[in-house]
Amino acid sequence: MNLLITNIHQLLNVRTESKLLRGEELSQLPVIRNAFLVVENGLIKEYGEMSSIGHLPSAMPVYDAQGATVLPTWCDSHTHLVFAASRETEFVDKIKGLSYAEIAAKGGGILNSATVLNATTEDTLFEQAWQRLQELMKLGTGAIEIKSGYGLTVAGELKMLRVIKRLKEISPIPVKASFLGAHTYPLEFKENHTGYINLVIDEMLPKIAAEKLADYIDVFCEDGFFSPDETTTICRAGISYGLRPKIHANQLRASGGTQAGVALGALSVDHLETMDEDAILALAGSATIGTLLPTAAFFLRMPFQPARVLLDKGCAIALASDYNPGSSPSGNMNLVVAMSCIQMKLLPEEAINAATLNGAYAMDLGEVLGSITPGKIANLIFTKPIPSVAYLPYAFGSNLVEKVMINGVFI
Ligand code: NIG
Ligand code: FE
């Protein structure tokens, strides 16, 4: 099936070749004004200026974009999309003054989500998550990573990962799965960390590997959760099963998570609200992507990630939503992009690159998604008429996504 899309006001992130963008490269967002685009069998075939359309066969079906701006769909490389219940009670506790760590210490937070998840059936979890995923696709998300980590038991973690596997099967967009058994210690292992780590490594991992349920291994590396040494032990076990680390690091404290991730050859270290000099230098000198989660910083009233410093030092950064019931109950990547500009001072071009191409690389999808490149999957956002690229993050409260195309078909 062919489709010729005409009258595109601006075609964003057009690249003949794609690669992970670091430092200053992130500010270059190649654009074609007044463009056409041809989609064939779900893939991007060719593009150019409207004035050069003459060579195309006249029989091709045409869709008139009527001045929409067209860009690659968002690649959301860090979410906890599978969860059993919202946690707005804790949200109110936080308004009244409790911290994230205090709520967690009371048995709230991740443990609260784990209790409810273990009591919820796989089918219900799947239905809830599938609804959420469809909503996100309408908001322009065209690839997503989803973590386990609300099971914290062998059965619970397997249940979550089987839900993610079902999402992979049904979803028209690529889904990647991360095993986050080491999200926190369940109450019965509060005083027996080694016991829980052994459960993760000896009981959960072999089963997950045997059923091919995960692409990555994740650990919440944080004071009061998993230390850098524990993170290293768990990730090495994951690596031995072919799971590359993508870890939670430097969210609440600078406790060495980034350095541990870099030393492990992690695909990404995610969060990075609390970066010290050492962590920044470790990331800058590595192939690891720093994934920034501004809506989590916003929701927890944490300092925003030091995006400008990271870029000045030459890091490769991506943007993701961290969609989860505790620290970012929104998977809206349009908001993530806006917030990164407003609060982290990313330029609109940088933010779009970080949320598309670099996000794709943070899921090993950089060769198939994240830019307007011949041969890549035609997952595209069509905006309402907007005057400029900067208008997207500027008008942060409006939904500017008019239509979304997935695999060459409007959803
Ligand atoms: O990425 N920080 C650890 N995990 C999640 C939050 C999980 C939760 O509160 O349910 C995060 O912010
Ligand atoms: Fe997270």
Side-chain angles (χ1 to χ4, degrees), residues 225-288:
F225 293 82
F226 295 83
S227 70
D229 282 350
E230 291 166 338
T231 301
T232 302
T233 303
I234 296 161
C235 286
R236 286 215 180 112
I239 291 168
S240 75
Y241 286 101
L243 307 182
R244 194 167 171 198
K246 262 173 89 64
I247 67 169
H248 283 71
N250 292 68
Q251 179 184 13
L252 309 174
R253 297 240 182 107
S255 48
T258 296
Q259 294 90 320
V262 165
L264 286 159
L267 176 57
S268 68
V269 289
D270 302 23
H271 268 292
L272 314 189
E273 283 88 331
T274 55
M275 295 292 275
D276 55 14
E277 177 101 8
D278 210 47
I280 294 169
L281 291 179
L283 187 63
S286 77
T288 299

Side-chain angles (χ1 to χ4, degrees), residues 159-385:
K159 180 164 68 176
M160 280 192 87
L161 288 163
R162 287 183 188 131
V163 168
I164 302 171
K165 189 176 185 186
R166 282 168 70 180
L167 292 171
K168 277 190 192 205
E169 286 160 7
I170 190 178
S171 161
I173 68 171
V175 173
K176 295 280 182 157
S178 298
F179 168 49
L180 176 55
H183 201 183
T184 191
Y185 294 98
L187 278 185
E188 56 277 33
F189 287 98
K190 206 170 166 214
E191 306 303 332
N192 179 13
H193 289 190
T194 312
Y196 186 63
I197 292 170
N198 290 343
L199 187 77
V200 167
I201 294 176
D202 300 332
E203 302 288 329
M204 297 181 188
L205 257 175
K207 294 198 170 72
I208 289 161
E211 274 188 58
K212 294 193 171 37
L213 291 175
D215 301 295
Y216 305 108
I217 177 105
D218 193 348
V219 176
F220 187 17
C221 186
E222 186 66 53
D223 282 0
F225 293 82
F226 295 83
S227 70
D229 282 350
E230 291 166 338
T231 301
T232 302
T233 303
I234 296 161
C235 286
R236 286 215 180 112
I239 291 168
S240 75
Y241 286 101
L243 307 182
R244 194 167 171 198
K246 262 173 89 64
I247 67 169
H248 283 71
N250 292 68
Q251 179 184 13
L252 309 174
R253 297 240 182 107
S255 48
T258 296
Q259 294 90 320
V262 165
L264 286 159
L267 176 57
S268 68
V269 289
D270 302 23
H271 268 292
L272 314 189
E273 283 88 331
T274 55
M275 295 292 275
D276 55 14
E277 177 101 8
D278 210 47
I280 294 169
L281 291 179
L283 187 63
S286 77
T288 299
I289 299 169
T291 298
L292 313 183
L293 312 171
T295 50
F298 168 70
F299 194 76
L300 297 185
R301 302 186 187 84
M302 291 287 296
F304 281 88
Q305 292 80 0
R308 289 259 58 97
V309 180
L310 297 179
L311 288 178
D312 286 349
K313 298 284 180 204
C315 297
I317 64 166
L319 286 169
S321 75
D322 197 20
Y323 190 9
N324 77 80
S327 66
S328 180
S330 163
N332 186 340
M333 284 294 288
N334 305 283
L335 181 61
V336 170
V337 166
M339 209 169 281
S340 75
C341 298
I342 298 163
Q343 294 288 1
M344 286 158 35
K345 299 193 173 161
L346 284 189
L347 295 167
E349 293 80 3
E350 291 172 328
I352 290 171
N353 275 324
T356 55
L357 191 53
N358 279 10
Y361 277 104
M363 295 183 270
D364 291 306
L365 293 171
E367 301 305 316
V368 290
L369 277 170
S371 62
I372 305 292
T373 301
K376 283 198 179 184
I377 300 169
N379 286 6
L380 308 168
I381 294 173
F382 289 65
T383 71
K384 292 175 184 158

